[in-house]
Amino acid sequence: MSTESTIAVAIDAGDLPMGGGLMALVRPALLLLEPGGVLAINSCHDSLQDDLSVWCRIKQHEYLGHEPAPMAGASGTTEGSGCHDSSVGKPKPTVRHLIRRGDLSVPQGSRETNMRLEAVNGRLSAEAVLSAVPMPETADPRTGFAPRGAQVEPGGPRYPFDLLDRNHVAPPEVAKLYDQAVESQWDGNRDIPWHKLPMHSPDLERAIGQVFTFLAENELSALYVPSRFVSRIHPAYAEVAMFLSTQMADEARHIDVFLKRARSGGAGLGVSSVTTSQSLLSLLELTDFTEATFLLSVLGEGTFVDLLRFIEDHAPDDVTAEVVSRARNDEARHVHFGLVHVRHALANDPGLYQRLENAVRRRAAVMAANSGVPEPLQDGLTILAAGSTTYRDIARGHDEFRALLDEMHTNRIKRLEHAGFTSAQANTLSELHTPNFM
Ligand SMILES: [Fe+2]
Ligand SMILES: [Fe+2]
């Protein structure tokens, strides 16, 4: 029989029988204990001894025995509730049963005690949750969809998650980016003043239809590529999956508004080029999360930020400008995620530089037969920048388009340097980047 000092938790069970609610007190009380900890149950029920010892054997706890309950005020215990024996009109004696928590039969890990998240200025951010419940360095696929911080019963099935390493999955900034993403959602149905779209010349509208066809096709890849990784991310890093889900919602909205813009001016959709198709397939086929994030978000979406700014600067009306401006804000967040992801992974894995460079080179080899920006897009952007199809305007539009390519290259180098590459590496990687931009 244990002494008072070994009892960690005591409960007052009155005359509750095993099948009458007693376990709703016993099981949660055992969860508060470390394995080996002792629970005292003060009870005046007659037949609890046999029931408890059988239950303990099944659940792999240890029934230590029973003894008369001490009087009220004894340390670590409470007196029984003084149930009454109506047949004799006297209080029934209270007995103290002792159970030692087993090692195996109950959930592993400590309960989150004193977990009290507090709102700041009326807000409770995902960033605050992450700092209260940090991500583990590695994750166990046998904890399945158990939320980080839950106590997990042993013996569960192994899940097919294979992104199990915090340094290659979850940059520390991810929860903050998720908060920003949720706050920045907009509605492509309601928030664009579609009714204000003016009539343009057929030539200009066809150019716009072409540009937005290209944008929508690329946005489709930006929706599908992250989706391939979400189901592989261990839920210990749920904030990454949650951020990617906001990114996918953003891309869905971009596809929607870009196609609406192409079809609102009278010209409809333009051409989908083999160069684009080849480039996007090479993204979709990537199986490494960090390589995919690097190619899609740092290089591809980074270049798209410059492209969207160019379209906004040359937009012939406010509706077109609004569409690309809103999309560009979202893209800046996607690029930010890509940069912090890659920076974090590079800081923890020096061998990653070479792997990322190899990924860019492999893709460049696949794209070797597709040199140059897709021609329908070149023409569309040139006419958009010209604002008309008079040859003098076109000459200016052509120069603007060439300047865009230079600006994209310069900004890619800056992003690559920010991600952690040297200037020489950044220059090489930028030059090898796909002519499709994404
Ligand atoms: Fe997008
Ligand atoms: Fe994006």
Side-chain angles (χ1 to χ4, degrees), residues 136-377:
E137 208 165 308
T138 57
D140 179 354
R142 283 166 306 189
T143 62
F145 284 123
R148 184 170 75 243
Q151 293 173 283
V152 181
E153 285 184 354
R158 189 185 174 89
Y159 275 57
F161 306 130
D162 64 353
L163 295 171
L164 304 171
D165 166 16
R166 184 181 63 199
N167 289 340
H168 286 91
V169 180
E173 300 87 342
V174 65
K176 187 175 187 173
L177 287 170
Y178 171 76
D179 287 328
Q180 288 173 4
V182 171
E183 198 170 332
S184 308
Q185 294 299 299
W186 50 280
D187 180 343
N189 187 5
R190 194 189 51 203
D191 294 340
I192 304 293
W194 295 108
H195 61 287
K196 292 187 181 164
L197 188 69
M199 289 275 283
H200 297 299
S201 71
D203 288 339
L204 182 56
E205 253 320 311
R206 269 195 297 277
I208 291 170
Q210 176 58 57
V211 168
F212 280 87
T213 301
F214 171 82
L215 291 179
E217 183 169 3
N218 283 272
E219 294 291 346
L220 276 156
S221 81
L223 166 63
Y224 279 55
V225 170
S227 79
R228 304 196 69 193
F229 297 98
V230 168
S231 65
R232 291 174 48 195
I233 294 170
H234 192 285
Y237 315 124
E239 285 87 344
V240 179
M242 288 155 64
F243 175 80
L244 292 180
S245 77
T246 67
Q247 179 169 347
M248 288 158 62
D250 292 342
E251 307 304 10
R253 196 171 48 240
H254 300 170
I255 295 161
D256 176 36
V257 294
F258 290 166
L259 291 174
K260 282 175 178 162
R261 176 59 194 92
R263 290 177 167 134
S264 297
L269 301 194
V271 175
S272 161
S273 301
V274 170
T275 297
T276 298
S277 185
Q278 191 71 61
S279 184
L280 300 183
L281 178 62
S282 69
L283 268 187
L284 188 67
E285 288 180 336
L286 292 167
T287 55
D288 182 276
F289 182 39
T290 305
E291 287 177 21
T293 304
F294 179 60
L295 289 175
L296 173 70
S297 294
V298 176
L299 289 173
E301 292 176 307
T303 304
F304 253 58
V305 166
D306 295 327
L307 175 61
L308 293 171
R309 189 182 291 109
F310 178 87
I311 297 168
E312 185 181 344
D313 288 347
H314 296 290
D317 59 78
D318 291 347
V319 175
T320 307
E322 177 86 16
V323 165
V324 285
S325 169
R326 284 177 177 269
R328 185 165 58 79
N329 282 339
D330 295 334
E331 292 307 333
R333 190 166 56 246
H334 307 168
V335 175
H336 192 166
F337 172 76
L339 280 172
V340 294
H341 175 127
V342 169
R343 267 172 75 96
H344 185 66
L346 283 171
N348 290 284
D349 179 3
L352 188 59
Y353 286 97
Q354 195 58 52
R355 264 177 46 215
L356 294 180
E357 183 175 332
N358 292 346
V360 174
R361 289 186 181 282
R362 273 197 309 276
R363 190 174 186 213
V366 170
M367 294 299 296
N370 303 280
S371 62
V373 176
E375 287 168 357
L377 178 67

Side-chain angles (χ1 to χ4, degrees), residues 43-174:
S43 166
C44 54
H45 192 275
D46 298 329
S47 63
L48 218 48
Q49 178 188 343
D50 291 345
D51 290 345
L52 278 177
S53 70
V54 169
W55 181 81
C56 283
R57 200 160 54 243
I58 293 169
K59 295 295 184 184
Q60 295 181 277
H61 301 299
E62 186 183 355
Y63 183 68
L64 298 172
H66 62 97
E67 62 193 12
M71 298 305 291
S75 88
T77 68
T78 58
E79 195 188 13
S81 58
C83 7
H84 234 70
D85 186 340
S86 54
S87 62
V88 290
K90 287 199 302 191
K92 289 170 73 173
T94 300
V95 170
R96 183 165 72 177
H97 303 271
L98 296 170
I99 295 177
R100 192 193 304 283
R101 181 182 154 173
D103 290 338
L104 300 174
S105 64
V106 288
Q108 307 294 291
S110 306
R111 190 172 180 91
E112 290 184 341
T113 46
N114 302 320
M115 175 61 75
R116 192 177 295 277
L117 295 173
E118 283 186 33
V120 177
N121 298 328
R123 306 252 175 144
L124 191 48
S125 65
E127 190 183 14
V129 176
L130 176 58
S131 77
V133 191
M135 294 171 179
E137 208 165 308
T138 57
D140 179 354
R142 283 166 306 189
T143 62
F145 284 123
R148 184 170 75 243
Q151 293 173 283
V152 181
E153 285 184 354
R158 189 185 174 89
Y159 275 57
F161 306 130
D162 64 353
L163 295 171
L164 304 171
D165 166 16
R166 184 181 63 199
N167 289 340
H168 286 91
V169 180
E173 300 87 342
V174 65

